[in-house]
Amino acid sequence: MSYKPRTRDEHFANDGTPKRILALDGGGLRGILTLGYLARIEELLRERHKAGDEFRLSHYFDLIAGTSTGAIIAAGLAKGWTVAELAQHYLELGNEIFSKEWLRFGVMRSKYDAGKLIDKLKKLLGDDLTLGSEKLETGLLVVTKRLDTGSPWPLGNNPRGKYFADRPNGTIGNGRYPLWQVVRASTAAPVFFDSEHITITTPEGARAAAGNFVDGGVSPFNNPALQALMYATLDGYRVGWPLGADKLLIVSVGTGASDPSVAPYKLDVAARDGVKAIVALMDDCASLMETLLQWMSASPTARQIDRELGDLRNDRLADRPLISYLRYNMELSPGPVRELVPGVTDEQVKNLAEMDVPTNMELLHRLGTLSAARQVNPQDFAATFDLR
């Protein structure tokens, strides 16, 4: 190994070295597609650094951010798992949590039992591991949405953060939040699971108060890349990394972009249109995130935003690129899917839009692996960001 792995605090240190961020989208069980890309990235970076089986993405990335299913993956990577280990855990969790025997019925009930998910997350991440634990090998940022205040809550493990430690007014530092509960909050997708309540204050002489949290995907940051950039650079978050194409790299990985014309669930017309409108709003937010990041960056993976804007390679928000940026994702529509896996039926492609069907995971993982082999290239990762 040509480098020495760093601790969480060394990853966060504003020490003048280039910094690297990995951002992982939400998308239910489509997160298994993300793992296909991550396996390719891990392989390339292991070869780049002449490392063996001991190499981890937590060695390379100084901050790993995730929303919803991306939060599960981010937490596992921050714990120091390999992508192969994480994929095995993910497949087991997906098959068990979304099993038909755990499906619940009733207009006023969530579709799945949150208690089962909680049990699995505790076993997966540890019952007593906190967000602030030094057992996490690198920076971790989990995007949640606090429903009772209507505000996104990015929860990170930066030890210098304003709310990392307890405060005199009885506010519990987010460093003391159980990691499984933070991840559970980010995955509490409305309709699928009940919301998660996290105790946030214990004022002296008063009752403890809890925040009501739901899936971070219903915030603007289902793609957490821009939130991760703000977390790393805005003064209020107290991380303080500098901007610059040779100073800050963001690698953003999606869960597959489904065909917007496909209704994701079998509902009546009014309900279907309502769900499609919400999904379209999430897609609009995702497109805005990519537009902003391409606008401010130097990016060899820049995609065409639309026919009017193009890929923004000739546009710059500032007089120089503010970040280096890589975005990997694929379209889950018939053409791109069949190009990689010939013979897939229209019905199979349509089903890939759904986020809670375990039988889709094998095909999604295969698509992620094959697409990554085409999209992720060694030259994407500039030498300036190599580990020393």
Side-chain angles (χ1 to χ4, degrees):
M1 187 184 296
S2 60
Y3 65 92
K4 179 183 177 182
R6 288 168 289 175
T7 65
R8 176 204 66 188
D9 291 359
E10 288 171 337
H11 276 293
F12 268 118
N14 189 359
D15 56 6
T17 62
K19 297 295 182 179
R20 313 152 197 87
I21 297 172
L22 177 63
L24 308 173
D25 288 14
L29 290 182
R30 298 210 312 254
I32 194 70
L33 184 145
T34 301
L35 288 165
Y37 281 98
L38 292 178
R40 169 71 171 165
I41 293 170
E42 183 185 65
E43 177 188 21
L44 290 180
L45 293 175
R46 179 185 289 119
E47 292 174 355
R48 170 77 65 88
H49 294 93
K50 298 180 173 57
D53 292 341
E54 71 277 12
F55 179 81
R56 302 290 188 271
L57 290 180
S58 59
H59 298 170
Y60 185 80
F61 291 102
D62 301 289
L63 177 66
I64 304 177
T67 300
S68 193
T69 195
I72 298 175
I73 299 172
L77 294 177
K79 284 191 68 176
W81 291 343
T82 64
V83 176
E85 290 170 331
L86 187 48
Q88 180 179 348
H89 290 309
Y90 191 95
L91 286 166
E92 292 172 357
L93 185 146
N95 280 309
E96 293 185 33
I97 294 302
F98 294 101
S99 169
K100 286 186 178 180
E101 66 185 75
W102 289 0
L103 190 64
R104 306 194 304 174
F105 298 94
V107 176
M108 302 304 292
R109 306 184 75 190
S110 296
K111 194 173 181 181
Y112 297 99
D113 183 359
K116 303 295 186 182
L117 176 58
I118 289 170
D119 289 342
K120 292 300 175 183
L121 288 177
K122 285 182 177 180
K123 291 178 182 178
L124 198 64
L125 301 175
D127 195 357
D128 58 352
L129 190 67
T130 63
L131 180 61
S133 172
E134 293 186 9
K135 291 181 180 179
L136 294 178
E137 297 186 356
T138 190
L140 175 64
L141 180 67
V142 174
V143 178
T144 67
K145 174 71 175 284
R146 189 170 167 190
L147 194 60
D148 52 317
T149 62
S151 53
W153 268 44
L155 297 173
N157 66 339
N158 170 30
R160 301 190 302 276
K162 182 175 181 178
Y163 294 102
F164 180 82
D166 292 354
R167 296 178 67 80
N169 63 357
T171 298
I172 298 172
N174 58 42
R176 285 211 290 133
Y177 294 173
L179 180 60
W180 70 262
Q181 195 171 31
V182 171
V183 172
R184 153 71 183 128
S186 186
T187 59
V191 178
F192 291 99
F193 295 105
D194 293 338
S195 58
E196 179 69 17
H197 290 78
I198 299 178
T199 301
I200 58 175
T201 61
T202 54
E204 186 175 351
R207 293 180 60 184
N212 185 21
F213 293 87
V214 294
D215 194 313
V218 297
S219 77
F221 305 111
N222 187 59
N223 172 349
L226 184 62
Q227 176 63 79
L229 173 61
M230 293 190 295
Y231 183 78
T233 59
L234 293 181
D235 287 346
Y237 292 117
R238 300 182 179 179
V239 176
W241 295 344
L243 291 166
D246 60 344
K247 293 181 173 63
L248 189 58
L249 168 67
I250 297 178
V251 180
S252 174
V253 186
T255 60
S258 57
D259 187 339
S261 68
V262 175
Y265 307 105
K266 297 176 181 178
L267 303 166
D268 61 52
V269 174
R272 183 180 69 242
D273 288 348
V275 170
K276 286 181 70 174
I278 293 171
V279 172
L281 179 59
M282 293 174 67
D283 289 343
D284 289 343
C285 288
S287 181
L288 177 60
M289 299 300 108
E290 291 189 50
T291 301
L292 289 172
L293 289 163
Q294 286 184 202
W295 190 17
M296 65 177 67
S297 70
S299 177
T301 64
R303 70 172 182 88
Q304 178 171 294
I305 301 300
D306 58 37
R307 283 177 290 183
E308 188 169 17
L309 292 177
D311 62 14
L312 300 178
R313 289 179 191 268
N314 296 321
D315 287 286
R316 284 286 180 268
L317 181 61
D319 59 357
R320 61 187 176 89
L322 300 178
I323 57 172
S324 288
Y325 170 62
L326 303 173
R327 172 68 177 175
Y328 301 113
N329 203 13
M330 73 164 291
E331 289 185 33
L332 297 177
S333 52
V337 169
R338 291 197 185 109
E339 186 178 347
L340 295 173
V341 184
V344 176
T345 66
D346 287 345
E347 188 64 23
Q348 285 178 300
V349 174
K350 180 179 178 180
N351 287 340
L352 293 178
E354 300 193 35
M355 296 185 287
D356 63 336
V357 181
T359 53
N360 286 340
M361 287 198 293
E362 181 179 352
L363 177 56
L364 284 166
H365 190 252
R366 186 179 177 191
L367 288 169
T369 301
L370 293 171
S371 186
R374 293 186 175 191
Q375 290 185 29
V376 185
N377 300 300
Q379 59 269 28
D380 292 347
F381 295 82
T384 189
F385 294 104
D386 286 354
L387 297 173
R388 302 290 192 269

